[in-house]
């Protein structure tokens, strides 16, 4: 059983479309991070959210942390082929000393 | 500008063989981690360290050992390799317990 459930697992869309990836849990997280991973490379941090209800924007990407700090979403506006990759959410709980719990990931493919 | 360096990038082992995956970081980070990534499963924490001489088990430690004699190095030892250890292994480091994780490029291990 995954502590962090991501949906959808696969997403294949056309350039210019909008999309949302969800990261849900029954547990409360003190912070939540989103990473992007390209083939043959390690994940790279996109954003960290720490406050319930927090919204952060990174160009065409909008990240939201749920009010209860149990869920998060990543919304991409006008997706581009360069957005293609594996998106991972990861959470830290209480005094877990940086031991991130990862979701299973969402593979996004944006077709030209 | 090396960051986190992992070696080897690829390795094929026979069942029962042993090997060590090397990880070095040049950012003077106290926190270091070993994750394994299996298809559709996200990343699972194997072992972590909060400083030289201090290590602890993560979510999936069985079949692995680690040591942390210096701040820079955090090798992962596989004893008696099994097919279930076929995976991509990522080493990561962070400055603080809730900070950004910096990942290496990964080591792809196949056990036949």
């Amino acid at each position: 059983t995954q502590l962090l459930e991501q949906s959808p697992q696969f997403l294949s869309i056309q350039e210019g479309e909008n999309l949302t990836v969800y990261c849900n849990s029954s547990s409360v997280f003190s912070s939540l991070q989103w990473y992007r991973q390209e083939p043959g490379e390690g994940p790279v941090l996109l954003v960290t959210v720490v406050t319930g209800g927090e919204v952060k924007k990174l160009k065409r990407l909008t990240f939201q942390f749920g009010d209860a700090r149990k869920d998060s979403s990543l919304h991409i506006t006008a997706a581009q082929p360069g957005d293609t990759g594996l998106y991972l959410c990861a959470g830290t709980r209480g005094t877990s000393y940086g031991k991130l719990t990862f979701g299973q990931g969402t593979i996004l493919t944006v077709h030209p | 500008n090396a960051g986190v360096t992992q070696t080897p990038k690829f390795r094929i082992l026979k069942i029962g063989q042993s090997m060590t995956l090397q990880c070095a970081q040049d950012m003077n980070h106290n926190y270091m981690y070993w994750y394994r990534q299996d298809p559709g499963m996200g990343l699972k924490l194997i072992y972590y360290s909060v400083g030289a001489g201090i290590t602890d088990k993560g979510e999936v430690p069985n079949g692995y050992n680690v040591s942390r004699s210096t701040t820079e190095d955090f090798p992962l030892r596989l004893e008696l390799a099994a097919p279930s250890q076929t995976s991509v292994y990522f080493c990561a480091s962070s400055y603080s317990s809730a900070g950004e994780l910096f990942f290496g490029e990964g080591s792809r291990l196949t056990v036949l």
Side-chain angles (χ1 to χ4, degrees):
Chain A
T1 305
Q2 287 280 135
L3 191 59
L4 276 171
E5 293 283 346
Q6 278 188 246
S7 62
Q9 276 195 273
F10 302 93
L11 201 49
S12 180
I13 62 173
Q14 294 297 125
E15 182 175 2
E17 292 184 9
N18 301 332
L19 67 111
T20 302
V21 177
Y22 299 94
C23 179
N24 295 307
S25 177
S26 57
S27 298
V28 175
F29 288 89
S30 53
S31 68
L32 206 133
Q33 300 177 348
W34 284 91
Y35 289 81
R36 178 168 171 264
Q37 184 180 15
E38 297 195 37
E41 298 182 7
V44 176
L45 181 70
L46 295 172
V47 78
T48 300
V49 285
V50 297
T51 305
E54 183 176 3
V55 176
K56 281 191 174 180
K57 292 192 175 185
L58 189 66
K59 296 183 181 178
R60 294 176 294 101
L61 278 61
T62 301
F63 304 85
Q64 186 162 8
F65 201 12
D67 291 340
R69 291 186 289 136
K70 292 182 179 181
D71 56 86
S72 181
S73 64
L74 157 61
H75 182 79
I76 301 179
T77 304
Q80 299 176 359
D83 295 326
T84 293
L86 173 67
Y87 289 81
L88 295 156
C89 67
T92 302
R93 292 191 297 166
T95 55
S96 58
Y97 298 107
K99 292 185 292 181
L100 285 175
T101 297
F102 280 84
Q104 73 271 49
T106 295
I107 297 175
L108 170 65
T109 304
V110 182
H111 302 280
Chain B
N1 198 22
V4 178
T5 303
Q6 291 183 235
T7 57
K9 285 188 171 25
F10 303 94
R11 183 72 185 268
I12 298 175
L13 281 181
K14 294 183 179 179
I15 294 172
Q17 286 186 321
S18 300
M19 75 159 297
T20 299
L21 298 176
Q22 301 291 344
C23 175
Q25 53 93 7
D26 61 0
M27 296 174 281
N28 202 31
H29 287 168
N30 282 325
Y31 296 81
M32 294 189 75
Y33 314 85
W34 274 105
Y35 287 89
R36 60 177 286 172
Q37 186 174 37
D38 301 309
M41 298 296 291
L43 285 90
K44 300 285 188 185
L45 182 65
I46 304 171
Y47 269 95
Y48 69 101
S49 170
V50 300
I54 306 169
T55 63
D56 206 348
K57 297 177 181 179
E59 189 179 354
V60 289
N62 291 343
Y64 307 95
N65 275 303
V66 294
S67 60
R68 184 95 181 271
S69 56
T70 67
T71 299
E72 294 78 19
D73 300 299
F74 191 39
L76 177 71
R77 177 84 176 159
L78 280 73
E79 304 282 0
L80 300 174
S84 61
Q85 293 178 304
T86 294
S87 188
V88 181
Y89 292 83
F90 285 97
C91 179
S93 71
S94 65
Y95 176 74
S96 67
S97 62
E100 173 182 1
L101 260 62
F102 292 85
F103 285 86
E105 292 186 334
S107 298
R108 183 176 293 274
L109 175 67
T110 302
V111 182
L112 300 174

